[in-house]
């Protein structure tokens, strides 16, 4: 409720200020300073077309406003007018710029060339330290390794994660591309908590990007090792599509179907007796919407449904989920990201083997939340920007919360956590 009130008040304030500024511009359309101030305000409010129009008027009145031309090039880049942005940067080549302006011009020229290339690479590499108030409960609940979490025990871990993406345009088929992605992470625990987790995944498919919509269809394969032993292998297909409902609003739809194969010695040992194990298909579908409040803030929400089938029926489940997020950032790049969600699961049948005779069919309510603050390293310099690798390397701190409420005799679980993460992003989007 509080966030909604702030968002609503901010929107009204921005619209009111924008209207006042535009009235002033109409009264003096040839005033470069007034138009430049309006362009900055319009860009901050997310009105990129308004900012571009104001900058055009500035440059008509004073072609030697090199800072305004650089800003115009950046705005055109964000509007996906890559040729127009490149033309403006070409005009800046022979002129004198500050070292920071020249670095930014060089940086965006490289972005444009990567975006125009028929083959594009991007990715990320991160390292993190994490802490869980109840590390043992978080582990066993996340993976359902045993019915009831053990005694509460705090713990920490070191995490290394990386991802590499590649996309190849399909000749003259405008907007179509073949793409692939490979990623993985390794979580090594401290103290006496034996909770090492390794993940890996690979994806390959076909994508299309148009002016108002995009979609992608791919094959996926994933692997999960838990406590240095194989735990889960899954393979299947996924699809996603996005539609731009307006300049500020995006609607998305995604889904996947994967066949899961678990390696669980305790379950496998009795599978022949009880009639099966946890193996089976899992289906997910999600519908989401995101809305840009300003150039540097946005909100989003999604609803989903999961259906997990299993050879041993009590391991199967289905239910809805709800997620929401809010992101905001400053001109220097400092940001705040708030996200959370809930999932309601009903299992397909009572489980007399692993829960007990007479116990009802399992029902879980799972919830999670995350609040993160961070910034690129460049944000801590005097200018707030550097135009080099320091704008691609960010540091982030986060507080996390996770919980599971279950019917007796299963035990409930909740835990607070913390993260400190360093991330380097590279490639097509940088």
């Amino acid at each position: 409720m509080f966030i909604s009130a702030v968002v609503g008040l901010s929107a009204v304030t921005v619209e009111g200020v924008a209207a006042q500024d535009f009235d002033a511009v109409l009264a003096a359309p040839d005033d470069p300073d007034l138009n430049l101030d309006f362009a900055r305000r319009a860009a901050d409010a997310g009105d990129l077309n308004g900012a571009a129009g104001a900058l055009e008027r500035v440059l008509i009145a004073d072609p030697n406003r090199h800072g305004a031309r650089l800003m115009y090039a950046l705005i055109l880049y964000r509007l996906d007018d890559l040729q127009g942005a490149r033309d403006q940067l070409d005009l800046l080549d022979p002129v004198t710029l500050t070292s920071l302006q020249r670095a930014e011009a060089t940086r965006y020229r490289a972005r444009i060339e990567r975006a125009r290339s028929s083959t594009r690479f991007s990715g990320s590499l991160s390292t993190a330290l994490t802490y869980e108030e109840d590390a043992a409960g978080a582990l066993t609940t996340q993976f359902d390794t045993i019915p009831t979490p053990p005694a509460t025990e705090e713990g920490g871990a070191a995490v290394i994660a990386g991802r590499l993406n590649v996309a190849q345009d399909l000749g003259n088929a405008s907007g179509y591309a073949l793409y692939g992605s490979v990623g993985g992470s390794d979580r090594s625990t401290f103290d006496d908590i034996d909770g090492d987790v390794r993940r890996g995944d690979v994806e390959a498919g076909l994508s299309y990007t148009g002016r108002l919509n995009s979609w992608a269809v791919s094959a996926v394969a994933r692997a999960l090792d838990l406590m240095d032993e194989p735990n889960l292998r899954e393979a299947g297909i996924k699809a996603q599509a996005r539609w731009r409902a307006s300049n500020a609003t995006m609607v998305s739809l995604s889904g996947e179907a994967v066949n899961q194969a678990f390696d669980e010695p305790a379950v496998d040992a009795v599978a022949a007796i009880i009639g099966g194990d946890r193996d089976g298909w899992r289906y997910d579908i999600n519908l989401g919407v995101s809305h840009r409040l300003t150039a540097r803030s946005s909100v989003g929400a999604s609803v989903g449904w999961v259906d997990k089938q299993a050879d041993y029926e009590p391991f199967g489940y289905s239910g809805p989920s709800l997620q929401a997020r809010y992101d905001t950032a400053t001109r220097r790049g400092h940001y705040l990201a708030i996200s959370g969600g809930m999932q309601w699961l009903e299992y397909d049948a009572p489980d007399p083997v692993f829960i007990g005779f007479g116990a009802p069919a399992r029902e879980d309510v799972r919830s999670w939340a995350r609040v993160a603050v961070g910034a690129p390293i460049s944000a801590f310099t005097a200018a707030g920007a550097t135009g080099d690798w320091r704008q691609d390397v960010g540091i982030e701190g986060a507080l996390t919360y996770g919980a599971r409420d279950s019917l007796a005799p299963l035990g409930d679980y909740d835990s607070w956590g913390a993260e400190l993460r360093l991330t380097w992003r590279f490639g097509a989007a940088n």
Side-chain angles (χ1 to χ4, degrees):
M1 181 70 70
F2 174 74
I3 291 178
S4 300
V6 171
V7 168
L9 180 60
S10 299
V12 171
T13 302
V14 168
E15 291 177 0
V17 171
Q20 295 173 8
D21 289 345
F22 189 65
D23 289 342
V25 169
L26 287 178
D30 297 325
D31 187 328
D33 292 326
L34 189 60
N35 276 277
L36 185 58
D37 183 62
F38 175 80
R40 293 193 181 103
R41 290 174 179 266
D44 286 341
D47 180 11
L48 300 182
N49 288 310
L55 289 167
E56 288 176 359
R57 293 190 292 272
V58 170
L59 294 171
I60 290 173
D62 186 357
N64 293 320
R65 290 251 183 159
H66 306 316
R69 191 173 299 281
L70 178 59
M71 182 180 177
Y72 186 39
L74 272 53
I75 293 293
L76 292 177
Y77 172 84
R78 291 169 61 186
L79 286 169
D80 204 30
D81 183 358
L82 301 183
Q83 185 59 53
R86 185 179 183 180
D87 291 343
Q88 295 302 313
L89 293 177
D90 287 343
L91 293 174
L92 291 173
D93 278 346
V95 306
T96 301
L97 299 175
T98 68
S99 57
L100 180 57
Q101 287 175 332
R102 181 59 66 190
E104 282 292 286
T106 301
R107 177 182 175 83
Y108 272 86
R109 184 180 292 279
R111 283 189 176 189
I112 292 169
E113 294 306 314
R114 286 195 294 265
R116 290 164 61 95
S117 173
S118 61
T119 304
R120 297 174 297 282
F121 294 90
S122 64
S124 64
L125 183 64
S126 68
T127 181
L129 294 175
T130 68
Y131 166 81
E132 280 285 348
E133 179 188 25
D134 183 359
L139 181 72
T140 56
T141 301
Q142 181 180 1
F143 299 107
D144 279 339
T145 55
I146 59 175
T148 303
T152 298
E153 189 171 357
E154 64 180 0
V159 182
I160 298 176
R163 179 162 297 280
L164 177 64
N165 311 301
V166 60
Q168 174 64 54
D169 290 342
L170 291 179
N172 296 324
S174 177
Y176 290 90
L178 294 174
Y179 73 94
S181 177
V182 59
S185 65
D186 184 280
R187 178 181 183 270
S188 300
T189 54
F190 305 140
D191 306 318
D192 297 325
I193 303 296
D194 187 9
D196 293 351
V197 178
R198 287 189 296 270
R199 301 176 186 267
D201 67 87
V202 61
E203 178 179 349
L206 174 69
S207 69
Y208 169 78
T209 302
R211 188 173 66 89
L212 297 177
N213 63 84
S214 64
W215 55 260
V217 178
S218 62
V220 295
R222 305 185 184 102
L224 168 68
D225 291 350
L226 182 59
M227 291 178 281
D228 299 321
E229 297 291 340
N231 178 258
L232 172 63
R233 301 292 184 265
E234 60 183 23
I237 59 172
K238 63 182 292 187
Q240 51 190 334
R242 294 183 177 182
W243 298 269
R244 186 173 295 281
S246 69
N247 287 335
T249 304
M250 183 79 73
V251 178
S252 63
L253 178 65
S254 64
E256 71 173 37
V258 295
N259 186 265
Q260 298 183 310
F262 288 85
D263 187 347
E264 299 176 305
V267 177
D268 296 338
V270 297
I273 300 174
I274 65 177
D277 52 22
R278 205 187 298 267
D279 294 355
W281 284 87
R282 179 178 58 79
Y283 305 95
D284 283 280
I285 187 168
N286 287 276
L287 175 65
V289 60
S290 61
H291 180 73
R292 189 180 67 243
L293 301 171
T294 70
R296 297 184 180 86
S297 64
S298 64
V299 294
S302 66
V303 293
W305 182 269
V306 61
D307 181 29
K308 160 63 179 165
Q309 301 176 355
D311 294 338
Y312 178 56
E313 191 177 5
F315 282 153
Y317 56 78
S318 62
S321 62
L322 176 65
Q323 299 184 65
R325 64 170 182 80
Y326 171 72
D327 305 285
T328 187
T330 68
R331 187 184 297 275
R332 284 172 169 255
H334 304 91
Y335 64 84
L336 168 68
I338 303 172
S339 60
M342 296 188 72
Q343 186 175 43
W344 296 264
L345 299 178
E346 292 187 2
Y347 284 69
D348 294 343
D351 185 355
V353 177
F354 296 99
I355 296 182
F357 285 101
R362 180 176 172 181
E363 295 182 10
D364 284 0
V365 178
R366 306 187 182 203
S367 55
W368 61 93
R370 189 173 191 271
V371 179
V373 293
I377 294 177
S378 58
F380 302 101
T381 63
T386 58
D388 58 18
W389 63 269
R390 287 171 288 182
Q391 292 187 203
D392 301 328
V393 178
I395 187 169
E396 178 183 276
L399 292 177
T400 61
Y401 175 76
R404 186 193 76 184
D405 296 324
S406 302
L407 295 177
L410 293 181
D412 294 339
Y413 153 82
D414 69 280
S415 177
W416 291 92
E419 299 176 4
L420 181 62
R421 186 177 301 273
L422 186 69
T423 302
W424 171 46
R425 293 182 174 85
F426 59 89
N430 294 280

